[in-house]
Amino acid sequence: MTSSETENGCAGGERGESDVIVQTCVLGGFSESVETRALISSLAEVHGDTVTTESATQRFLVIMNRYQEQPHLLDPHLEWLLNMILEFIRSETSPPSLVHLSFKFLYIICKVRGYKIFMQLFPHEVADVQPVLDLLSRQDPKDSETWETRYMLLLWLSMTCLIPFDLSRLDGHLESDAGKAREPTMDRILTIAKSYLVVSDSPRDAASVLVSKFMTRPDVKQKCLGDFLDWSLTTISQTNDQSMRDIMVLDGALQSLAKLFKHGKRDDLLQYAPTILKCLEQKHLSESSQAMLRKLGAKLIQRLGLTFLKPRLATWRYQRGSRSLAANLSMSQSTTAIAEMETQEQEEDYDIPEEVETVIEHLLVGLKDKETIVRWSAAKGIGRVTGRLPKELADEVVGSVLDCFSFQETDNAWHGGCLALAELGRRGLLLPSRLTDVVPLIIKSLTYEEKRGACSVGSNVRDAACYVCWSFARAYEPKELEPFVTQIANALLITAVFDRNVNCRRAASAAFQENVGRQGTFPHGIDILTAADYYAVGNLNNCYLNISVYIAKFPEYTKAMIDHLIAMKINHWDGVIRELATKALHNLTPQAPDYMATTVLPQLLPIAGGIDLHGRHGAILACAEITHALYKLGLQTNRTVVDIISSECVDALKNIHQKLQDRKQYRGFGGELMRLAMCGLIEKLSLSKMPFKNDPVITGWQWLIDDTIKTLHLFSSGAKDGIMIAVVSALSALCEEYYQAQPGQADSEMQTVLVSQYTEGLKSPQIPTRCGSALALGCLPRFMIHSKLKQILEGLQQMCIVSQKEGNFTEARRDAVRAIAQVCMKAGVCASGSTDSALCSENVAEVYGVLLNSMNDYTTDSRGDVGAWVRQAAMTSLMDVTMLVASSAPEILLPDLVKHMMCCLAQQAAEKIDRYRAHAGNIFLHLLHSTEPAVPHIPHREELLNIFPVETTTSLNWNAPSQAFQYITQLLGLPQYQYHTLLGLTVSVGGITESTVHFSSQSLFDYLKGIQDNSAALSQFGDTLLSIFRDNLRNERVSVPFLKMLNQMLANSCFEIFTTQENHQFCVDLLTLCKEIKKSKDISKLRACVAVFCGLIQFQGEVRKKVLSQLLMLLCHSFPVIRKTTASQMYEMLLTYDDIIDPEVLDDVMTLLSDTNWESDFATVRPHRNQLCDWLGVPRPQVVAKNLAQVS
């Protein structure tokens, strides 16, 4: 179980996560043994080269890291892996680089398998001691590149230290050849160990392992143990945790002592333990700023505590029996009886050293540390030490641990307390008699949450509490936990379903599963586990809205879940949780309707008028949801909601608005939440048909809705959309219930007031107010629209047309376009009806005109192509209106309207933004394949059905350029669609997104190749191309991509058939239009124009001279970058089309173009340009006064 503070589970992530779990569990063995052998064998060849060394190391890392989760799979192969690598290390011919690389490979294996297992495989004969020692002595402790070598050598030395001979036997004659005394082996090892305990890299950890093995040898402990401990204590005393160097030294000393006291014999170490404890107390490690030092302090202190106490198992501990089920079943009755007698024997009396109390105090302080690693170490220490104490003292320790669970303590203390209780329970040290004290604290811990600013802490406490429940399930017999089953089951399920943090939900689910399996007493355990397993609880919405309903079907859990939501979740700091909690209450109401009506609602209403903002918000929404749920239940028994809930509750619900208004709680930051909550209340009470018709409260509610729309611009940007949706829903429900004079007939006064007010709001200077007004008009019920349709449509249309011309109020235009469709859908269609009451032959053209005009909204601002919002809304609205008209009065759907609509959709389906292309494509296919009703007058219907068979409605992915463009380019062959499709393709082919450009241009060129032999089709395509160019000459959005597309077409010889004719009209017209572009001041447009001029050179006749003339003029353009670009493009052009000028001057022209610095001033470049004119036979351009700045 993890202790993360963040929630990282989500619906979308479940599948991916499960896949990962499956992948990591499918490994059945070490499958890369052949590749690994080859890789290790190749070390002798690759070691000298950095690139090959790194490549081999990375590959080995990838292979080994696959087994990080299942390292035991490597066990059968570790021996040959080690032997192969040791051959390189032991070989006298191996260069240092090969030795270091070999140790790096050894370290990778050791890291995956763990040093405790791996180091046991090292050879540890007597003959190995000296070579390992010599090799280690030759290493440079400061070489950061070879630390793996030193790390592995220290581990190897740790194993060779275990030889069962006195080390003095290895020394022989201590005089060397030079007559100088050699250092004894024991001293050499000790010196090396000490030197590596103070380094700053990983070999320090290996050195502490060496110390623990070396110092516990019988010969070494007699001679060196006392001195080493003195050295360690001196080191600890003389350092502080302020400098990094001292921190590393302290770390090494503490690590070595902790491991030494773990592996050493109690008899050897007991005499030194009080001195070490005293030194640690003086050091005050628990106050250090370094978490690792505090953790090592806790680790060492618990080892000292275990040294003070005799190593024995407490006879008083609670034992459930063997972990093995088979062993439990086979155990005879007599064995059980003997065990019971043994537990009743009196404990052997012996004095507990007073130092133990100090140890326990330090560990209890460690439980409250701010770092998890320290708390976890202290919790394990508490468990270990308590296991050796007499029953009375152990019970005092348990009492001290329980003191952590005070509301004066921080979340760290609660977390540490949970970890300690889990350890005590796991070890059988928490006797069943203590469960009455412990279980209530664990129940509190399962819902522990403490608000800190804008968020909260406590998810680690809840996670640890789940671990406690998990450990209790394994530790106690069912009969011991039976009195607490209901409490534990309820608390675990509440956490599993309603906790905000995904780790806690999953931990609670696992703990519940463990209890169901091992205790067997949890009500409906198997059924609930099936619904609330590890994966199901990963999705928060699913937990609150579905799983909770399933669990609440079992009466044991219903009220506990409802009470938890009321007490803890409707006032939660996270708004998402509050809203989910209220929806959950709505869904749970059918399970306990009487409880909701008589207990829960009266509890919520005071909170709804309370001082806590979050509580108020949640309570108002909860009242709304519960009332609506009770109303729906009443329908089944023909009872009204007033019959179900008391009159006091009805009055209290009615008075909430007035209370908030009197207290001015609609203002400021809290006002956002209050307005949101009240709109939810208005909607739900209206839907519940509360008897408030003609009551003053309706006027108050309407004021709130109108005031919110007028002041939307004052709210934070994140809240605006949510408030707008809530306001519109509230208005719709309010009108439907309270503004009908008679069924189907509006209250004429309110109708006039509201329609006038919202149409006037469409002219507001504030965008949110315009949006709100448009959506308000769109949500009005049919009877409110009747006789006001003309006024509403005129207001919406006028706002769309004016704001589109001015290029502002984009969001308002989007909402107005949506509202037009909503109004039309509600008003209905009547071919010969009045324009004031229905969509008819007289106003259908106007509606389509606005929607089709909105399809050409390409407004941009700092956010990008914001007009796309309007286009998307227009597409959806067109589809809705078209399907409505086609089903009711297809005769008023004029062919021109349908043609224009389908052409506009084809254009959008060919454009560059994937999302909007997909939206247009799907609508295009929906209208094409619709049969009930069928859309009349679709141009080229048969050809379209051939291009888009019915299966493409599901199989074609319009989001993928690789699929979409191969279909949409086929529309270029249909005359009525050609212009708009090519216009859409222009921005895709001439765009900047690589994938879109690639696939769109490929599909376009495939189409053009298909019509190369059809001069009529190619001419028609050319005319369409020119029409687009002509129409968008001044349109930057189209003209630059168009020139880029044209350049690609010319480069791909798409108009080769035209180049065979002199002065072809296509080229003449194109040149004329490009001359207009040349006058632009836009660099990107001019560069694209230069490229097109260079492509036009392939056309024959007088037009070629004109193209050359234009290019030569651009060589003296006022922008130096254009002069340089033109020269470069002309050079490439002459390389490509080397037959267009006289071969005698070709070399001179190429040389002049390449050698001249065209970014120089006019005086320098003009003579060169004029020389080119003479060589190419083109008249020199004359300076014209008005164009002096442009062309020279």
Side-chain angles (χ1 to χ4, degrees), residues 693-738:
K693 195 162 186 177
N694 300 322
D695 193 288
V697 73
I698 302 299
T699 310
W701 287 356
Q702 186 63 55
W703 168 86
L704 177 64
I705 290 170
D706 295 341
D707 187 65
T708 304
I709 290 174
K710 285 174 189 168
T711 56
L712 270 170
H713 60 282
L714 300 175
F715 302 133
S716 61
S717 55
K720 273 177 198 165
D721 290 341
I723 293 173
M724 213 178 291
I725 291 165
V727 164
V728 167
S729 302
L731 178 64
S732 179
L734 186 69
C735 292
E736 193 73 54
E737 180 58 29
Y738 300 113

Side-chain angles (χ1 to χ4, degrees), residues 42 137 144 247 255 272 349 370 428 439 544 568 592 599 616 640 687 855 918 1003 1068 1119 1186:
S42 70
S137 301
S144 61
I247 289 169
Q255 264 200 77
Y272 305 109
D349 289 332
K370 63 183 179 182
V439 170
Y544 270 84
M568 302 284 291
T599 308
R616 206 159 62 235
T640 63
L687 291 173
M855 290 275 276
S1003 299
V1068 173
F1119 294 167
K1186 65 179 179 180

Side-chain angles (χ1 to χ4, degrees), residues 101-135:
L101 183 59
S102 301
F103 275 117
K104 186 169 278 195
F105 271 53
L106 277 182
Y107 172 75
I108 291 168
I109 303 169
C110 179
K111 179 195 73 171
V112 173
R113 189 61 190 99
Y115 80 87
K116 292 178 185 177
I117 300 286
F118 187 69
M119 66 184 284
Q120 295 171 16
L121 298 172
F122 274 118
H124 44 275
E125 305 291 328
V126 174
D128 293 312
V129 178
Q130 211 63 42
V132 173
L133 205 49
D134 291 343
L135 188 53

Side-chain angles (χ1 to χ4, degrees), residues 1115 1123-1124 1127 1153 1156-1160 1165 1168-1169 1172:
L1115 281 175
R1123 299 201 291 273
K1124 183 181 177 182
L1153 282 171
T1156 304
N1157 179 9
W1158 293 100
E1159 289 182 300
S1160 301
V1165 299
H1168 295 305
R1169 193 275 312 272
L1172 285 173

Side-chain angles (χ1 to χ4, degrees), residues 202 206 239 297 377 475 617 655 684 694 767 925 956 958 1080 1089 1163:
S202 289
T239 53
S377 185
H617 174 242
N655 293 332
K684 297 299 182 184
N694 300 322
I767 294 178
L925 292 188
L956 176 54
W958 286 96
S1080 170
C1089 190

Side-chain angles (χ1 to χ4, degrees), residues 152-169:
M152 296 311 298
L153 280 171
L154 285 165
L155 288 182
W156 193 357
L157 188 57
S158 305
M159 285 307 297
T160 58
C161 285
L162 299 179
I163 56 169
F165 304 108
D166 195 309
L167 290 176
S168 59
R169 292 189 183 184

Side-chain angles (χ1 to χ4, degrees), residues 914-1061:
D914 293 349
R915 183 154 48 115
Y916 302 115
R917 181 176 66 246
H919 192 65
N922 289 323
I923 289 175
F924 186 91
L925 292 188
H926 181 77
L927 294 173
L928 176 64
H929 289 288
S930 175
T931 52
E932 292 182 1
V935 179
H937 313 305
I938 294 180
H940 303 291
R941 183 191 289 273
E942 294 305 318
E943 293 93 326
L944 288 174
L945 290 172
N946 288 332
I947 294 170
F948 299 104
V950 69
E951 58 268 18
T952 54
T953 53
T954 52
S955 63
L956 176 54
N957 179 9
W958 286 96
N959 271 307
S962 56
Q963 293 186 40
F965 287 109
Q966 60 184 326
Y967 281 94
I968 205 70
T969 46
Q970 295 180 54
L971 298 188
L972 293 169
L974 308 177
Q976 298 202 41
Y977 292 103
Q978 190 175 64
Y979 179 93
H980 286 86
T981 306
L982 187 54
L983 181 56
L985 277 170
T986 298
V987 293
S988 295
V989 177
I992 55 174
T993 307
E994 188 180 348
S995 59
T996 307
V997 171
H998 171 72
F999 290 111
S1000 59
S1001 55
Q1002 188 180 46
S1003 299
L1004 176 60
F1005 298 147
D1006 287 346
Y1007 167 75
L1008 287 170
K1009 277 178 193 170
I1011 61 168
Q1012 284 299 306
D1013 299 330
N1014 186 341
S1015 58
L1018 198 58
S1019 295
Q1020 186 185 7
F1021 181 85
D1023 292 343
T1024 306
L1025 202 62
L1026 290 169
S1027 299
I1028 291 172
F1029 198 6
R1030 204 173 287 115
D1031 295 345
N1032 295 281
L1033 213 50
R1034 302 280 180 269
N1035 184 350
E1036 304 292 320
R1037 184 187 68 82
V1038 177
S1039 57
V1040 176
F1042 181 89
L1043 290 167
K1044 288 181 182 177
M1045 178 181 75
L1046 192 56
N1047 178 40
Q1048 287 190 58
M1049 286 179 177
L1050 293 169
N1052 281 275
S1053 304
C1054 292
F1055 301 109
E1056 198 169 2
I1057 192 172
F1058 296 164
T1059 61
T1060 56
Q1061 303 173 32

Side-chain angles (χ1 to χ4, degrees), residues 585 589 596 600-601 604 621-631:
L585 285 168
T589 301
M596 287 289 196
V600 174
L601 259 183
L604 287 172
L621 286 175
C623 289
E625 292 287 356
I626 292 170
T627 306
H628 189 218
L630 290 171
Y631 161 75

